[in-house]
Amino acid sequence: LYVLVHAGYMHQARDQTKDALAAYVNAFSTELEHVPSKVAIGAMLSKQGPRFLPAARCFLSDALRVEPTNRMAWLYLGKVHRSDGRISDAADCFQAPVMLEESDPVESFISLS
C-alpha cells in the first residue's frame, strides 16, 4: 500500500500527474480507509482547477473522518476552501493543525548512558 503511495509521490515529483493519480487511486482501492491515499488524491485534485474542488473536498473530508488529527488533510482542505472562496472555513481548517500541534505531548528525553 505504501509502495503505491510512494510511487505516486515519485510520479508527482516528475510532473506525471496521471501516473501519480493512478498510483494513489490504486492504493485507495486496495484499502478504502487508507488516509494517506485519500489526502494525496484530494491534494492532487485541488490543483486541477475549480471543477475538481468538490471531489477534492470529499476525499479530504473523508480522510479527516477516519483520522481527525491528520494535519496535511486539514491543510489541503483549507486550501480547497480558500480556492472556493470560503475564507471562514479555510481559516478554521488552517487553525486546526496549529491547535493539534499545541496539544501534542512533549516527549521526554531518556538518557541511554
Side-chain angles (χ1 to χ4, degrees), residues 31-98:
E31 184 183 323
L32 296 179
E33 298 295 309
H34 190 247
V35 171
S37 59
K38 289 179 187 218
V39 173
I41 292 168
M44 282 203 66
L45 290 173
S46 72
K47 297 172 185 174
Q48 301 305 308
R51 70 183 181 145
F52 292 95
L53 292 178
R57 186 180 310 108
C58 182
F59 275 99
L60 295 166
S61 296
D62 198 44
L64 288 167
R65 177 191 59 79
V66 176
E67 188 181 314
T69 58
N70 188 295
R71 291 184 183 117
M72 293 308 293
W74 282 112
L75 173 68
Y76 286 115
L77 185 58
K79 289 181 177 187
V80 166
H81 285 315
R82 183 183 62 201
S83 295
D84 209 18
R86 301 167 66 168
I87 304 305
S88 177
D89 291 335
D92 291 342
C93 290
F94 291 140
Q95 184 64 31
V98 174

Side-chain angles (χ1 to χ4, degrees), residues 8-20 44 47:
Y9 293 149
M10 296 297 290
H11 287 300
Q12 197 171 352
R14 295 181 184 131
D15 286 331
Q16 299 167 336
T17 305
K18 289 181 183 179
D19 292 332
M44 282 203 66
K47 297 172 185 174

